Amino acid sequence: MQQEILLKNNFYAIRNIYLTVAISVGYLLLSALLVGFKTDQLVLIFIFNTLFYISEGTRRFILGFSIFIVYWILFDYMKAFPNYLFNAVHIQDIYELERNIFGIPYHGLILTPNEYWKLNSNTFLDVLTGVFYLMWVPVPLAFATYLFFKNKEQFVRFSLTFVWVNLLGFVVYYAFPAAPPWYVQEHGFTFIAKTAGNTAGLARFDHFFNITLFQGIYSKGSNVFAAMPSLHSSYPVIVAYYGLKNKLGKINIFFLVVMIGIWFSAIYTSHHYTLDVLAGISCATIGIISFSYLVKHTRLKDFIAFYVKRI
């Protein structure tokens, strides 16, 4: 009985309360300063604090998934520092390179794959690509949840690889700002700062089901000129790699299908050039290899062991 009271008191230790309050208030203040106040921020704080104090199990869970929360916050804060303020945006050059390498002859013209599929879209592919594009968040998170309960060390490695690949992608975003295909279709080769996000070909999915799902998603985008690399194309590579590494059997077939489906969907819906997709695949590959190197040759392995004990 005395031990249970001690554990309970430790669970609600005043230092934990001070820490979570400080983190929550600090996050709200910094967010208000950088990107403005949004109800999403309150929802995030509510979820974190609720899970942190419900039970020991939920605390371990939310501490584990804090890796993804950090990624989400960093992605959101990119709005405060548009990449086009640091380097010139590539619009016409990347379009012409895409057409020169992957151009498709069509009625006497050479079209980019995006232009070809825009002219030859059909309802089946509209729905299918929309479904695939919706998987880029749920599939990695569902897989991470599975690893959390099945193999916490693999969970931490997967989560850190995920964030590491994103950080590599963010570096390229700022070093090489690039417009997506739909931007050229809508605005030509003229640079227009603060251009709003666009659902592009995914609008056909919304129209078919008479909903505004993708419209809502892309209205919250951090930066239109962050098309290369396609991190949408990177994520399923990470999932497939860790799926194969953990020998998940037939589920890996699903992961591979989703991976190829997302790659095609990115091009079909005019959200990314083929070059963007290839850059995303390369980013994931470099991220996976470099992360493995860091684990072997730095103290990152010790951090992983520490983190595993905490969750």
Side-chain angles (χ1 to χ4, degrees):
M1 183 67 177
Q2 186 176 2
Q3 186 177 6
E4 291 180 359
I5 294 175
L6 182 62
L7 289 172
K8 185 175 181 180
N9 290 338
N10 185 58
F11 186 75
Y12 294 104
I14 191 67
R15 65 178 182 179
N16 286 336
I17 296 175
Y18 282 150
L19 183 60
T20 53
V21 169
I23 291 174
S24 299
V25 173
Y27 166 64
L28 281 178
L29 292 176
L30 184 59
S31 298
L33 176 66
L34 293 178
V35 296
F37 173 76
K38 296 179 292 184
T39 55
D40 293 353
Q41 297 157 5
L42 290 178
V43 172
L44 180 61
I45 289 176
F46 174 78
I47 292 174
F48 177 83
N49 283 278
T50 300
L51 293 179
F52 192 84
Y53 287 110
I54 284 181
S55 69
E56 185 66 33
T58 57
R59 175 173 292 186
R60 290 178 179 274
F61 183 84
I62 196 61
L63 286 177
F65 276 81
S66 291
I67 299 175
F68 292 97
I69 293 176
V70 169
Y71 150 72
W72 186 89
I73 292 173
L74 290 175
F75 182 77
D76 191 42
Y77 284 175
M78 286 176 64
K79 295 186 181 76
F81 309 97
N83 60 352
Y84 56 78
L85 296 179
F86 300 88
N87 282 298
V89 177
H90 295 266
I91 305 175
Q92 184 172 354
D93 56 349
I94 194 170
Y95 167 84
E96 292 180 346
L97 182 62
E98 174 81 4
R99 189 175 62 177
N100 290 336
I101 297 176
F102 302 105
I104 300 173
Y106 187 75
H107 293 177
L109 300 173
I110 302 296
L111 306 180
T112 65
N114 312 102
E115 293 169 331
Y116 173 83
W117 284 114
K118 183 179 181 180
L119 294 173
N120 294 276
S121 63
N122 60 70
T123 302
F124 172 76
L125 289 178
D126 292 343
V127 174
L128 182 64
T129 54
V131 171
F132 274 125
Y133 231 53
L134 286 173
M135 292 183 181
W136 74 270
V137 171
V139 170
L141 289 182
F143 181 55
T145 303
Y146 166 81
L147 289 178
F148 178 86
F149 291 106
K150 188 71 174 180
N151 188 326
K152 284 187 170 54
E153 181 178 353
Q154 285 297 300
F155 164 79
V156 174
R157 287 173 180 258
F158 169 76
S159 303
L160 290 177
T161 302
F162 182 89
V163 174
W164 176 237
V165 169
N166 274 280
L167 292 177
L168 293 177
F170 293 168
V171 170
V172 180
Y173 284 168
Y174 283 93
F176 191 86
W182 64 259
Y183 181 90
V184 175
Q185 296 168 10
E186 294 285 332
H187 307 291
F189 300 130
T190 303
F191 169 69
I192 305 173
K194 298 182 180 180
T195 301
N198 193 303
T199 55
L202 292 169
R204 297 190 294 268
F205 180 92
D206 279 359
H207 179 73
F208 179 80
F209 290 103
N210 195 27
I211 56 177
T212 57
L213 177 60
F214 283 109
Q215 180 181 336
I217 293 174
Y218 281 94
S219 65
K220 301 177 181 179
S222 286
N223 193 345
V224 163
F225 304 108
M228 178 180 281
S230 167
L231 290 178
H232 285 82
S233 301
S234 299
Y235 302 151
V237 175
I238 305 170
V239 172
Y241 169 76
Y242 276 93
L244 292 169
K245 186 175 182 179
N246 285 273
K247 301 177 181 179
L248 297 186
K250 293 182 179 179
I251 191 65
N252 285 325
I253 298 175
F254 170 74
F255 289 156
L256 293 172
V257 170
V258 169
M259 180 176 69
I260 296 172
I262 290 177
W263 293 347
F264 173 72
S265 301
I267 298 168
Y268 176 84
T269 60
S270 289
H271 276 277
H272 291 283
Y273 292 113
T274 309
L275 291 169
D276 300 336
V277 172
L278 293 175
I281 296 170
S282 300
C283 186
T285 303
I286 293 171
I288 290 169
I289 294 173
S290 58
F291 180 81
S292 298
Y293 177 87
L294 291 172
V295 170
K296 292 180 180 179
H297 297 88
T298 70
R299 299 193 65 180
L300 181 58
K301 187 175 182 179
D302 296 333
F303 172 76
I304 292 173
F306 167 78
Y307 206 88
V308 170
K309 290 181 179 179
R310 294 290 295 174
I311 61 174

